Amino acid sequence: MAIPLGLGLPQMRQYDIGKDVPEVARAAERTGYSSLWVFERALFPEPATQGLYGVEGMPWPDEYRSVAEPLVTLTLAAAATERAELGGSVLVAPLHGPFQLAKALASLDAASGGRVVAGFGTGWSLDEYAAAAPRPFAERGRALDELLEVCRAVWGPDPVSYDGHLTRIASAVVGPKPARPIPVLLAAGGARARRRLVDRADGWLPVAVGVEAVTEQWRQLRDLAAERGRTRPLRTSLRLNARYLPRAYDGPDRRPGHGSVDQIVEDLAAYAAIGLDEIHLDLQAGLRDAEELKDVAAEVYEKARAAGV
């Protein structure tokens, strides 16, 4: 059985957000993509106080100079589609007020007929935390923990009450409620993050950093789930950040998902063999416009299905 495929929505500066997001979302759903995804970059520091991913000296990619707000992007896509799930990979949860984010996701799920996937991570950018986060970078894990608790409270039955570090809800009615329980997926790089995922989330959002590495991460996560007595399954949706090249490139430094359509499909097949539930593909970086994004996404999907992926 072919693995479900998702597509990243256009959020970068070469796209007309109001026009292109609905068009790409509709085209992706017609093609057969089962989910649509956004990521979050709040700003582009200039000069940056730290490198990309916190790695000293690593430059931020130029595509990050303008990235549309993820919930606005998902709302545009929700209004243009009927079936595709609407996910974050990832929303940098501590940049948001917990109550406001929980209520926004509930409203989007109600409006879309139960299609939201809440994908959260803690992020890495000190500049983004300085500009937007209610709590400092050092408390990012605690902030995510509180957000998860607030989401469960706000999405649950009324009356809602919660008493946390940032959020205090005296007994209150909070609506609208989600159309169905919203699945929560987490990125998890460290040991503490993996424990949080196993104990408190519905699933995992890995990134395609190499088939062997993802296979080993998945094994570790399943072993941890068994150790901690988790019996319900872990949903998995892998993010493949791809850069389309018109011709094949076989150099030794070719990154996963970078190359011709045929090479991207080869990488999809390799990751699908790990046994994960879904792969979502982000092609938007490096493409000129929405027409090219729609064309390349359709070609990737058709060739992947022809290859049995």
Side-chain angles (χ1 to χ4, degrees), residues 260-282:
S260 66
V261 166
D262 289 339
Q263 288 175 322
I264 293 171
V265 170
E266 287 177 13
D267 290 330
L268 284 172
Y271 283 106
I274 296 173
L276 305 176
D277 295 316
E278 177 187 26
I279 299 173
H280 57 274
L281 180 69
D282 196 314

Side-chain angles (χ1 to χ4, degrees), residues 36-72:
L36 303 165
W37 296 81
V38 292
F39 74 106
E40 183 159 26
R41 281 273 68 83
L43 47 73
F44 187 96
E46 201 168 45
T49 57
Q50 63 179 156
L52 185 70
Y53 309 130
V55 178
E56 185 175 356
M58 182 178 290
W60 289 48
D62 197 56
E63 293 92 345
Y64 286 178
R65 286 185 176 275
S66 177
V67 176
E69 202 281 331
L71 293 182
V72 171

Side-chain angles (χ1 to χ4, degrees), residues 122-226:
T122 55
W124 47 268
S125 170
L126 299 176
D127 295 283
E128 290 182 338
Y129 269 76
R135 288 163 70 170
F137 184 77
E139 297 181 21
R140 60 196 182 280
R142 186 178 176 188
L144 177 55
D145 286 335
E146 180 162 327
L147 172 69
L148 295 176
E149 293 170 358
V150 171
C151 284
R152 297 304 183 199
V154 168
W155 299 344
D158 293 322
V160 174
S161 60
Y162 181 80
D163 188 5
H165 182 70
L166 269 182
T167 309
R168 290 179 173 82
I169 309 170
S171 181
V173 174
V174 182
K177 298 296 183 186
R180 61 33 166 151
I182 297 176
V184 174
L185 277 58
L186 299 179
R192 182 178 296 180
R194 288 193 292 271
R195 288 193 299 271
R196 177 188 294 115
L197 190 159
V198 166
D199 292 345
R200 307 185 63 181
D202 298 298
W204 177 43
L205 289 169
V207 177
V209 291
V211 173
E212 291 184 3
V214 175
T215 300
E216 177 59 18
Q217 292 167 4
W218 181 219
R219 183 196 64 78
Q220 292 176 359
L221 199 58
R222 285 178 293 172
D223 288 348
L224 181 63

